[in-house]
Amino acid sequence: MAHVITRPCCNDGSCVEVCPVNCIHPTPDEDDFLTAEMLYIDPATCIDCGACIDECPVSAIYPDDQLDACDEPFLQINADYYRDHDVDGGLAHPARTPRLPEDRTLSVAVIGAGPAAFYAAGELTKRPQISVDMYDRLPTPYGLVRAGVAPDHAKTKGVEGTFAAAERRTNFAYHLNVDVGTHITHDELAARYGAILYAVGAPHDRHLDIPGEELPGSFPATDFVAWYNGHPAYADRAFALTGDRAVVVGNGNVALDVARILVEDEATLAATDIADHALAALRDSSIREVVVLGRRGIEHAAFTNSEFLSLGDLDGVDIVIEPEELALSEAARAALDDGSLDSTIATKIRLAREFSTRPRHDENKRIVFRFLTAPLEIMGDGEVTSLRCLRNAYTASGAAAPTSETFDIDTSVVVRSVGYRGRPIPGIPFDPERNVVPSKDSRVTDGPGGPVVPGLYVAGWIRRGPTGGIGRNRMCGEQAAAAIIADFADDVLPIPELDAGDVADLVASRGAQRIDLAGWRRIDAAERAAGRAQGRRRAKFVSVEALLAASAESGAAG
């Protein structure tokens, strides 16, 4: 018997560290860790010790004889990885921590409260000489784990337990509902902290840059995801989910989340922590088909195999892929035929072919995949009525090039899901070409290739761009923490002029209604209690006013 990693895998690598026989790959020091869709257990090496089960923060690992039917395909997905990946090396070795000065302390400001921020804070607060103050403009922490992970992916949200372990340490403090740049400036932070780490993500959407993109009925996936997850800044948005078809442009995991939420069974969604306003709107939605467009073919699809596979478990939903949509480049076709194609891509093609042969049911809703299709223009007079598309085809060189074939898809909704982008942060350098803060080894530089700015660090998507999930952000956050610790040990950090103890009064004087750890615990307890009463994981407060009220209720924290 062996263990199997399933869909919720967050790639944070905790399981790798406890495996006694090095059977979980890729490990953080292997080249493909940064691009891997998930981690995989080698069935030929696993000794069934179960250490990985206890360590996994998202409950993604099971013995192979305890898999639910929907997870049984992961037996093959795990095994397939080892057809073309070496498992002899890649053991992760902990880095040696430099000796810290015993006669000095360090106060660190972490801006942002998402995964990269928390993994950095977790490493920093293991050292009693270092204290961390975490700032976020929202009244709640956890970033995209709270406001980005789909509500029907509750297991993935289990990583919040790892974050909560950091916030329980005595050398950790929150400044939530505090906007850096409004309530306190970067220069004021620099005067109070020896190190500042920005981990603010990439909150803005990318545009298609096609005519009609601003028509009512066309909107970015970033807004829609924030809306159904109860982000306070989007709770008042209204999305007209009329007509019987929506088109999602892009085919990454966020695009699949949007497609799934639009057609998922109401009862299933009602048992999640989806925002109540979104549940009501989706209940009234008339959409029965979602078309997911990708500019390139199945071999280049951006979604992960686990998310793709999970679509097949949706009750009352057909996954529709016409065989002609699965054209491959000559190189991919040859590699697939001789068995040399990368196993992850080969699995993606196999799953798509299996979907293409599934029976369809007239009474079901549908998610339809169109590959090698590019949007040309969003059509409509005052609102979206259709999307004009262009067919692409693979050339001999393997590029997806446009043909002369165009066609229209009738639709009332177009959702662009083509990525996120960072925005400049007042007071620190920014690279407008890459939409990131320029850095070297997590240390902010004065422009791309410029000198290091002492005491200033960056982690997560704002450091490297919007690529990678929780596992990649763990590595990125821990790298930033290691840089701060090394610079503290080498005594190269600036000495603060002021004490950070006045921050609460300073931000209050500028209108911030700051929420500390006790306030967040009251919010958390109240949301969970309300959720239990409804048979849900939590029932979210979706306005700043409601969150502030919950944070102040002395009797809410049971």
Side-chain angles (χ1 to χ4, degrees):
M1 184 171 68
H3 284 69
V4 180
I5 299 178
T6 62
R7 190 212 60 77
C9 177
C10 67
N11 292 52
D12 91 331
S14 299
C15 54
V16 173
E17 298 172 3
V18 299
C19 178
V21 293
N22 187 34
C23 76
I24 305 176
H25 294 263
T27 65
D29 55 350
E30 291 176 313
D31 291 341
D32 57 339
F33 179 82
L34 298 181
T35 57
E37 293 188 352
M38 57 181 286
L39 305 184
Y40 308 87
I41 292 177
D42 180 10
T45 310
C46 177
I47 61 173
D48 193 30
C49 69
C52 54
I53 292 179
D54 295 334
E55 198 67 22
C56 178
V58 295
S59 302
I61 307 176
Y62 296 90
D64 61 11
D65 63 348
Q66 296 180 24
L67 290 171
D68 292 335
C70 63
D71 288 329
E72 287 182 356
F74 286 95
L75 280 165
Q76 183 172 344
I77 289 173
N78 277 245
D80 281 350
Y81 177 82
Y82 293 92
R83 290 193 298 103
D84 59 354
H85 288 81
D86 176 26
V87 298
D88 293 330
L91 282 171
H93 300 286
R96 176 173 292 183
T97 301
R99 185 178 181 85
L100 299 183
E102 298 180 359
D103 59 341
R104 289 186 289 116
T105 59
L106 173 65
S107 294
V108 181
V110 175
I111 318 304
F118 264 103
Y119 282 118
E123 287 299 305
L124 292 169
T125 53
K126 290 177 182 177
R127 284 80 181 172
Q129 302 101 312
I130 301 177
S131 62
V132 169
D133 286 357
M134 183 174 285
Y135 291 77
D136 199 277
R137 62 189 179 88
L138 292 177
T140 56
Y142 306 157
L144 285 180
V145 173
R146 178 180 171 99
V149 172
D152 57 347
H153 284 358
K155 284 188 176 180
T156 304
K157 295 174 185 282
V159 75
E160 292 176 358
T162 300
F163 305 159
E167 72 186 16
R168 286 194 295 267
R169 294 188 178 128
T170 57
N171 51 342
F172 178 95
Y174 271 135
H175 296 284
L176 301 174
N177 205 40
V178 173
D179 184 21
V180 172
T182 301
H183 301 126
I184 189 169
T185 67
H186 170 75
D187 288 344
E188 289 169 333
L189 290 172
R192 290 164 171 81
Y193 295 93
I196 304 173
L197 169 62
Y198 282 91
V200 295
H204 290 270
D205 65 283
R206 294 182 183 274
H207 290 261
L208 296 172
D209 294 326
I210 62 175
E213 192 168 5
E214 302 307 320
L215 279 171
S218 168
F219 49 84
T222 51
D223 290 9
F224 190 64
V225 169
W227 170 78
Y228 66 61
N229 273 315
H231 190 300
Y234 297 86
D236 293 334
R237 288 287 303 272
F239 295 94
L241 305 179
T242 57
D244 59 3
R245 180 183 291 122
V247 177
V248 180
V249 179
N251 61 14
N253 281 352
V254 173
L256 266 58
D257 283 345
V258 170
R260 192 180 64 254
I261 293 297
L262 282 170
V263 296
E264 193 152 28
D265 177 68
E266 176 194 326
T268 299
L269 289 177
T272 72
D273 65 359
I274 191 170
D276 289 342
H277 59 255
L279 182 62
L282 290 164
R283 183 183 293 121
D284 294 337
S285 168
S286 59
I287 292 172
R288 296 193 55 80
E289 178 179 287
V290 180
V291 181
V292 180
L293 300 186
R295 294 174 185 267
R296 298 191 292 176
I298 179 62
E299 67 196 76
H300 295 112
F303 51 72
T304 59
N305 288 332
S306 58
E307 292 298 327
F308 189 37
L309 177 64
S310 69
L311 293 180
D313 298 321
L314 294 173
D315 289 335
V317 179
D318 288 337
I319 308 304
V320 177
I321 306 176
E322 300 298 342
E324 59 267 24
E325 292 292 330
L326 298 179
L328 303 177
S329 66
E330 289 185 15
R333 186 166 55 250
L336 186 64
D337 290 343
D338 66 21
S340 63
L341 186 64
D342 178 89
S343 60
T344 301
I345 299 174
T347 297
K348 195 162 292 184
I349 295 169
R350 174 178 62 81
L351 293 174
R353 287 176 172 175
E354 290 175 1
F355 275 132
S356 73
T357 63
R358 287 193 178 189
R360 300 165 190 176
H361 309 84
D362 291 341
E363 70 275 14
N364 280 357
K365 295 181 180 180
R366 296 157 41 110
I367 297 177
V368 180
F369 284 87
R370 301 291 300 265
F371 298 101
L372 291 166
T373 301
L376 281 181
E377 182 178 1
I378 300 173
M379 315 287 286
D381 183 12
E383 61 182 14
V384 173
T385 57
S386 64
L387 176 66
R388 179 154 295 166
C389 300
L390 173 70
R391 289 294 289 182
N392 291 332
Y394 280 118
T395 65
S397 66
T403 69
S404 58
E405 179 186 350
T406 63
F407 61 94
D408 293 348
I409 301 175
D410 292 337
T411 182
S412 58
V413 174
V414 175
V415 186
R416 64 177 182 269
S417 183
V418 291
Y420 294 73
R421 62 182 175 87
R423 63 179 178 182
I425 301 168
I428 72 171
F430 191 74
D431 179 355
E433 294 296 319
R434 297 180 56 223
N435 289 309
V436 298
V437 172
S439 65
K440 179 180 180 181
D441 299 328
S442 304
R443 298 170 176 90
V444 174
T445 59
D446 189 8
V452 167
V453 180
L456 190 54
Y457 305 84
V458 67
W461 284 3
I462 195 62
R463 171 190 172 189
R464 64 182 193 274
T467 60
I470 291 172
R472 182 80 183 272
N473 280 316
R474 175 183 179 177
M475 177 179 285
C476 198
E478 290 179 349
Q479 287 171 343
I484 294 170
I485 291 168
D487 290 350
F488 180 41
D490 291 340
D491 196 19
V492 296
L493 294 176
I495 304 299
E497 303 167 5
L498 304 172
D499 187 275
D502 70 342
V503 165
D505 290 337
L506 176 63
V507 299
S509 71
R510 294 172 181 169
Q513 294 176 275
R514 171 179 168 268
I515 295 174
D516 59 10
L517 175 58
W520 159 239
R521 285 177 171 168
R522 286 191 282 269
I523 293 170
D524 185 45
E527 288 186 338
R528 290 182 184 275
R532 283 193 299 272
Q534 302 173 34
R536 307 167 66 184
R537 177 178 175 271
R538 69 167 70 232
K540 290 179 179 176
F541 300 115
V542 298
S543 71
V544 172
E545 294 74 18
L547 289 161
L548 285 169
S551 74
E553 290 176 359
S554 59

